[in-house]
Amino acid sequence: EYLDGNKVFPFFDDFSGAALNEEKWEIIPGLKKEYSIKDGYLQLKDCLVVTRNFKTKQAILEFKAKAEENAGIQVVVRSKVSAQGLPAYEQRVYSSNYPGAEHTIAINNIAKLNISKPIQPLTDYIYKATINSTGILFERYSQDYQEKQAQIKFLDVGNFNEGYIGLKSEAAAFGAGSVYFDWVR
């Protein structure tokens, strides 16, 4: 029996439609904005999409994603979006095979914590970010949730504890590869 994720989770998208659901997501200006939906994946290349109306304070954010060799999987767990549409403040988690950014928590583009556990190109991983007023716990699992591969916790997130969620692929940091998101909840 198929359960509708939209009825189970406060926010859900499995990218099963033919196009990005613009009632849920807003494409943020400033990057090249290359994106597409294909075979149930949202493909991002030098692009940031942010939840249009959904904000969170405390949550467990889970997502399934994979990246090409020269790309990093980046998720904004809480972002204030400025009037120009560019993030004024953001808490972010990312994962790549790029040295120094293998499994990372960052605040405003500054890596606060990283462990050297790189991902393999075009391999699906499940990620879990637990966010609350005291910090961020970022975990990576194998695609079937059978093996926990990485875990870090950062406790000093300041007094910012509410924001939008964003999915991001930034070519400047990781080269020209694409990131593929299967689902987010």
Side-chain angles (χ1 to χ4, degrees), residues 1-182:
E1 184 176 324
Y2 176 75
L3 291 176
D4 183 354
N6 291 299
K7 293 179 180 173
V8 176
F9 302 102
F11 183 86
F12 176 80
D13 200 341
D14 64 0
F15 310 110
S16 59
L20 187 66
N21 183 339
E22 293 193 27
E23 289 179 14
K24 291 184 178 182
W25 299 101
E26 182 175 356
I27 297 125
I28 300 298
L31 300 172
K32 289 182 184 175
K33 299 185 284 191
E34 295 179 38
Y35 68 94
S36 65
I37 302 279
K38 185 177 179 187
D39 300 326
Y41 281 91
L42 168 63
Q43 177 182 359
L44 298 177
K45 185 174 182 179
D46 204 22
C47 187
L48 169 62
V49 296
V50 174
T51 52
R52 185 173 291 278
N53 299 308
F54 182 79
K55 282 182 164 181
T56 187
K57 286 186 180 185
Q58 300 188 62
I60 295 173
L61 176 64
E62 294 178 303
F63 54 98
K64 184 176 182 181
K66 62 185 175 183
E68 291 177 351
E69 188 166 353
N70 292 323
I73 298 164
Q74 300 183 53
V75 171
V76 177
V77 295
R78 288 187 286 215
S79 173
K80 281 185 185 176
V81 179
S82 71
Q84 296 81 20
L86 298 174
Y89 180 91
E90 66 180 21
Q91 299 169 352
R92 190 164 26 129
V93 295
Y94 51 91
S95 186
S96 73
N97 64 3
Y98 187 78
E102 296 95 340
H103 191 79
T104 305
I105 296 173
I107 310 288
N108 289 339
N109 283 331
I110 298 168
K112 297 295 185 176
L113 196 57
N114 179 67
I115 56 173
S116 297
K117 300 240 179 200
I119 58 171
Q120 297 302 311
L122 295 176
T123 301
D124 279 312
Y125 296 96
I126 295 176
Y127 295 89
K128 183 177 178 181
T130 305
I131 53 174
N132 57 41
S133 60
T134 61
I136 301 168
L137 172 65
F138 182 41
E139 301 165 286
R140 182 176 74 224
Y141 295 86
S142 58
Q143 68 177 346
D144 55 7
Y145 255 123
Q146 295 299 311
E147 176 193 1
K148 184 187 290 189
Q149 299 177 343
Q151 175 179 310
I152 54 177
K153 186 172 192 175
F154 184 69
L155 297 177
D156 183 18
V157 293
N159 60 3
F160 177 64
N161 64 2
E162 180 182 56
Y164 298 95
I165 296 168
L167 308 177
K168 187 174 187 180
S169 170
E170 190 172 25
F174 297 103
S178 291
V179 174
Y180 302 86
F181 289 92
D182 188 357

